[in-house]
Amino acid sequence: MRVIAARPYEFALEPRAAALLIIDMQRDFLEPGGFGAALGNDVSLLRSAIAPIAAVLTACRAAGMLVVHTREGHRPDLSDLTEAKHRRGRFTARIGDSGPMGRILVRGEAGHGIIAELSPAENEPVIDKPGKGAFYATDLEAILRGKGITQLIVAGVTTEVCVHTTVREANDRGFECLVLEDGTASYFPKFHEAALNMVCAQDGIFGWVAPAGAVVAALQQGES
Ligand code: C5J
């Protein structure tokens, strides 16, 4: 067991029963010309999460932990895209439209890919999800249960959308979640702060929050 200094209190990490879950670190959200930009956002605001996630990713791999990546996106024929999600917003570029990184939020296009800095290793599952939550319409839960996972270290973007939705889904399924405060990011810094506070309010209503450095230190300190 490794003790992580966290809010609202210490998190007792069991590396054999824990996975690092990296949500949607895709070019479509982090680079100009993708989905995030099409929604009118300053995509540079998400880049602060990259280095902290990379540090935790290295430490988790070294500890032999399961690492799972997710990608939000849709089939090329958009058959898994709800009409409501497709229509939402008053912007000119929509999901499925062509942009500088290929068709926006469509599987197989350049923009759908995970950024080079956090490329999945060959043995790391990549979950393609059509929704905001990583458990909705995916085999994530089956993969985690099959490997005996009960704890999740959750990172990625954006804090209040796909990270939060996933943490809520995981919490209801009985997983203990620790969210990386500097390994998540939002286009709206105030939402990032609020979303993290919501996770650990009421003595951990949805889980725990800790900086990447605390997770790396606990993983490097050895068993206690
Ligand atoms: C959004 C996500 N923000 N990955 N997706 O639409 O958070």
Side-chain angles (χ1 to χ4, degrees), residues 108-130:
E109 302 287 339
H112 184 253
I114 291 172
I115 58 169
E117 296 92 321
L118 301 173
S119 277
E122 239 175 54
N123 62 331
E124 293 170 355
V126 178
I127 306 288
D128 281 322
K129 62 188 188 63

Side-chain angles (χ1 to χ4, degrees), residues 23-24 29 35 39 72 129 132 157-158 161-163 187:
I23 305 288
D24 300 356
F29 293 106
F35 184 57
L39 297 180
E72 181 178 348
K129 62 188 188 63
K132 302 306 182 194
V157 297
T158 61
V161 184
C162 290
V163 171
Y187 302 119

Side-chain angles (χ1 to χ4, degrees), residues 19 33 101:
M101 292 191 288

Side-chain angles (χ1 to χ4, degrees), residues 57-147:
L57 179 59
T58 301
C60 289
R61 283 174 176 160
M65 284 172 54
L66 175 68
V67 177
V68 180
H69 307 255
T70 73
R71 296 183 296 206
E72 181 178 348
H74 298 277
R75 294 173 180 272
D77 65 3
L78 305 185
S79 56
D80 59 352
L81 174 62
T82 65
E83 189 51 33
K85 185 175 177 184
H86 201 189
R87 264 204 324 259
R88 188 81 40 84
R90 291 171 292 177
F91 301 98
T92 44
R94 295 188 177 277
I95 296 171
D97 290 353
S98 292
M101 292 191 288
R103 294 178 66 205
I104 292 174
L105 225 56
V106 169
R107 295 179 192 168
E109 302 287 339
H112 184 253
I114 291 172
I115 58 169
E117 296 92 321
L118 301 173
S119 277
E122 239 175 54
N123 62 331
E124 293 170 355
V126 178
I127 306 288
D128 281 322
K129 62 188 188 63
K132 302 306 182 194
F135 288 85
Y136 171 68
T138 72
D139 53 6
L140 175 60
E141 185 168 0
I143 290 173
L144 297 177
R145 300 251 186 248
K147 294 186 181 296

Side-chain angles (χ1 to χ4, degrees), residues 111-202:
H112 184 253
I114 291 172
I115 58 169
E117 296 92 321
L118 301 173
S119 277
E122 239 175 54
N123 62 331
E124 293 170 355
V126 178
I127 306 288
D128 281 322
K129 62 188 188 63
K132 302 306 182 194
F135 288 85
Y136 171 68
T138 72
D139 53 6
L140 175 60
E141 185 168 0
I143 290 173
L144 297 177
R145 300 251 186 248
K147 294 186 181 296
I149 300 297
T150 59
Q151 299 181 324
L152 298 173
I153 296 173
V154 187
V157 297
T158 61
T159 322
E160 78 282 11
V161 184
C162 290
V163 171
H164 226 270
T165 306
T166 299
V167 166
R168 288 168 184 242
E169 289 179 328
N171 183 60
D172 279 347
R173 286 167 172 77
F175 295 95
E176 292 183 315
C177 295
L178 179 141
V179 179
L180 286 187
E181 63 187 45
D182 48 356
T184 51
S186 170
Y187 302 119
F188 306 93
K190 279 188 183 160
F191 291 174
H192 172 76
E193 271 319 303
L196 294 174
N197 288 337
M198 279 181 215
V199 168
C200 62
Q202 301 173 79

